[in-house]
Amino acid sequence: MAAQAVDVCVVGSGASGSIVAHEIARNGFRVHVLEAGRTLPPGATLATVQSDVGNALVRSSIGTLTPFGRPWSVSALGGGLTLYAGIAFRYRSADFDARAHVAADALDPAWPIDYAELRPYYDELELRVGVARLAGADPLEPPSDPAVLPPHDYSTQGRLIAGTAERLAMQPFPTPLAINSAPYAGRPACERCGPCNEHLCTTGARADARSPFTDITIPSNVLTVSEGSKAARIELGAVSRADSVEWLDTVTGQRGSVGARCIVLAGNAVQSAALLLRSVHRAAPNGIGNSSDMVGRGISFKISGYVSGHITADRLEAPPSGGPFSTVALSDHYFDSEAPSGLGGMIYEASPAERTICDGNISVRLHFLAADQPMHDNAIQLSNSWDRLGLPKIVLQYWTHPLDKRRLGYLSRRASELLAQAGVKKIEYQDSNYQFGSGHLHGGCRAGNDPTQSVVDRWGRVHDIDNLYVADGGFFPYAGGVNPTFTIQANALRIARRIVTQLA
Ligand SMILES: Cc1cc2nc3c(=O)[nH]c(=O)nc-3n(C[C@H](O)[C@H](O)[C@H](O)COP(=O)(O)OP(=O)(O)OC[C@H]3O[C@@H](n4cnc5c(N)ncnc54)[C@H](O)[C@@H]3O)c2cc1C
């Protein structure tokens, strides 16, 4: 099929792609979004959608490659935001420069931008979508405009966790959530109707990435979205200019092509790196943007795990209900001289989807999570075997650094102690299996000022290509110790604004 020319082709419609596409289209430039997934049907859950998408290959304990890797958050119109938990932290200063906290063999974790540069974009997005939070309650919260929505009430288990933490002289606070606690931005307040994380929001109270595509102020001939269209490779027009994106219909395998003045990759950290690696040309024999062999490197999934146990229901103030996955969080162990390298991470409530009382008991669960160090050998690679569309399968090469293993152990102990102090019994550690890929995907197209150590510059532009950008979590040179999506979105808005000035 012949290339159709637009101003900008965006690959991916998730957290970052939706923001980039909307921002550029509302400035009057013609945008074509290629989305490999489709609109999720009502009732879709992570369990139902995961079976439909290709897994990546990971190393088993005996060294063989097995198809257990998770190279997607969610592949669908709206990407990971369709099923996410709505947790909307801003990164802290240390997340932008963690050099004091990583091992000597890590890649440089310093971002080429700092919080002050990103702050106006966080503030603007918060105003647009609404984040329910209690300003000033998180001791590590960076400066911001006033909160636009009050925080959600703690859940029944959240109250138990918060009360216990306060007794231990900690500072629990309401988890900041992009879920309406009151009607806002044309969306209703959350009704706490059911499990939230890994499920579609049935009321629209949770922010999602699909609404930019239904903005009636943008003419349909300005913003086009093609679902079921997987970008297979990027074509070059000249040595330093991308020309078009070749895509495949995910059902028929039929090929198409979109010509564009500018191309923005927003497919997630793993998929964007894989697309660059697939785009082999005479001028780019190892893939586009890969002259320094950095594409795919420094991939990070965040180290994380859960501890859970149960408590007799009569010890809780009220019966458990549905509603947000997490209502209470603790950053007391973010910086701690007892944590290996002085940097711990977050601990927060992680309610299981099943919240009924069973044999008089109710389960209480905590999630702990921290940034993993960016490592040169933690990398996205392409295999010699092919998927059903004829594209090389993705390999996730990932090992947890010994320092990160110790940090994970530290957080697990702190979370278990908190549960024990709350009277929770039979506390067990649960793997998140982050090492096979997770919902939190960062790195692979690392941003930096040094082209030998990074793939894109501070604006997300691929170093040696004038009109090719990466706007998703692939940009992150360091994963940061909190959930990444609000930062992915703020950074995508910053990159989109830059592209608009370049196109004008
Ligand atoms: C169950 C779950 C809960 C989560 N909860 C939270 C949370 O509470 N807070 C938080 O901060 N984060 C959360 N996350 C993570 C969050 O979803 C991701 O950080 C975020 O969606 C990443 O944004 P992105 O733009 O990089 O990619 P995505 O949102 O994953 O979007 C990428 C899109 O690009 C498409 N795509 C990829 N490759 C191609 C290609 N070659 N051609 C065409 N299309 C392509 C994909 O199909 C996908 O739709 C959660 C994730 C999951 C799975």
Side-chain angles (χ1 to χ4, degrees):
M1 200 182 288
Q4 303 156 330
V6 290
D7 292 308
V8 180
C9 178
V10 179
V11 177
S13 68
S16 54
S18 60
I19 297 233
V20 170
H22 183 259
E23 184 61 25
I24 295 175
R26 82 187 182 107
N27 279 279
F29 296 103
R30 279 177 311 138
V31 177
H32 191 141
V33 178
L34 295 173
E35 170 51 60
R38 293 183 181 277
T39 301
L40 291 183
T45 67
L46 191 62
T48 61
V49 302
Q50 268 183 339
S51 54
D52 290 345
V53 294
N55 283 355
L57 301 173
V58 291
R59 290 254 167 235
S60 70
S61 52
I62 53 166
T64 51
L65 287 173
T66 51
F68 295 145
R70 291 170 294 168
W72 309 93
S73 60
V74 176
S75 180
L77 183 72
L81 260 61
T82 50
L83 305 180
Y84 89 139
I87 299 171
F89 282 104
R90 296 178 185 219
Y91 274 24
R92 293 100 209 282
S93 309
D95 297 321
F96 293 99
D97 187 357
R99 281 176 291 183
H101 303 287
V102 298
D105 53 348
L107 292 167
D108 180 1
W111 286 50
I113 59 168
D114 59 12
Y115 177 75
E117 185 162 349
L118 213 47
R119 177 183 163 177
Y121 303 96
Y122 280 123
D123 286 339
E124 183 176 336
L125 278 176
E126 181 162 343
L127 198 61
R128 269 197 219 171
V129 299
V131 175
R133 63 183 173 98
L134 182 60
D138 171 0
L140 298 182
E141 182 183 80
S144 68
D145 284 356
V148 294
L149 280 170
H152 287 264
D153 290 338
Y154 289 149
S155 67
T156 306
Q157 290 96 324
R159 272 201 291 280
L160 174 78
I161 293 162
T164 307
E166 276 165 8
R167 198 159 40 76
L168 297 171
M170 297 167 76
Q171 290 177 270
F173 58 90
T175 310
L177 294 171
I179 302 173
N180 281 356
S181 54
Y184 189 80
R187 307 192 326 267
C190 173
E191 294 171 7
R192 296 190 165 232
C193 56
C196 211
N197 188 36
E198 303 188 3
H199 290 69
L200 283 175
C201 176
T202 52
T203 64
R206 191 176 65 202
D208 87 14
R210 290 170 295 179
S211 47
F213 301 120
T214 54
D215 182 345
I216 52 167
T217 65
I218 298 180
S220 56
N221 64 339
V222 171
L223 178 56
T224 310
V225 183
S226 297
E227 299 186 21
S229 304
K230 180 162 183 175
R233 59 184 259 127
I234 297 159
E235 298 296 344
L236 293 178
V239 173
S240 62
R241 274 199 82 76
D243 176 63
S244 57
V245 183
E246 185 183 291
W247 56 270
L248 298 172
D249 183 302
T250 56
V251 175
T252 64
Q254 193 184 348
R255 281 171 193 274
S257 172
V258 178
R261 290 166 63 200
C262 173
I263 294 165
V264 185
L265 307 190
N268 87 32
V270 171
Q271 299 296 337
S272 292
L275 176 54
L276 289 176
L277 292 174
R278 286 198 296 267
S279 303
V280 169
H281 297 268
R282 193 179 301 166
N286 299 315
I288 289 181
N290 201 20
S291 51
S292 299
D293 185 30
M294 288 304 291
V295 171
R297 297 199 178 276
I299 193 79
S300 126
F301 305 137
K302 283 227 174 74
I303 46 174
S304 66
Y306 298 88
V307 284
S308 69
H310 64 250
I311 191 160
T312 51
D314 56 12
R315 292 217 38 219
L316 295 174
E317 288 174 25
S321 65
F325 171 71
S326 178
T327 60
V328 61
L330 297 130
S331 57
D332 299 80
H333 302 300
Y334 214 82
F335 299 109
D336 184 347
S337 55
E338 284 179 30
S341 81
L343 197 62
M346 293 300 297
I347 296 178
Y348 54 74
E349 175 198 11
S351 288
E354 184 51 65
R355 297 186 200 179
T356 49
I357 297 170
C358 184
D359 296 332
N361 291 318
I362 181 80
S363 68
V364 183
R365 189 165 69 144
L366 292 174
H367 189 37
F368 44 91
L369 135 172
D372 41 1
Q373 308 186 76
M375 302 302 299
H376 187 266
D377 289 346
N378 282 352
I380 306 302
Q381 295 169 347
L382 299 182
S383 127
N384 297 326
S385 56
W386 311 88
D387 66 15
R388 61 177 186 79
L389 286 173
L391 299 175
K393 288 185 180 167
I394 293 173
V395 181
L396 307 181
Q397 296 283 9
Y398 185 91
W399 291 268
T400 306
H401 191 280
L403 177 59
D404 286 336
K405 280 191 182 159
R406 297 211 310 276
R407 293 171 59 227
L408 199 57
Y410 159 85
L411 280 173
S412 169
R413 285 192 296 279
R414 297 288 91 88
S416 301
E417 284 160 12
L418 182 59
L419 284 188
Q421 288 289 335
V424 173
K425 306 289 182 217
K426 297 199 173 161
I427 299 167
E428 286 178 356
Y429 173 84
Q430 289 169 352
D431 261 329
S432 69
N433 288 321
Y434 66 85
Q435 63 275 26
F436 300 142
S438 74
H440 293 192
L441 303 170
H442 331 72
C445 292
R446 318 178 75 239
N449 297 321
D450 178 356
T452 67
Q453 295 297 307
S454 58
V455 177
V456 300
D457 67 13
R458 68 197 318 281
W459 297 109
R461 191 184 63 85
V462 173
H463 283 302
D464 45 10
I465 308 285
D466 296 337
N467 60 339
L468 177 60
Y469 291 78
V470 178
D472 55 31
F475 177 101
F476 287 28
Y478 180 68
V482 294
N483 308 54
T485 306
F486 201 34
T487 302
I488 292 176
Q489 293 172 296
N491 194 42
L493 182 58
R494 186 182 70 90
I495 291 171
R497 289 264 157 82
R498 169 74 172 190
I499 292 171
V500 167
T501 63
Q502 301 292 298
L503 289 172

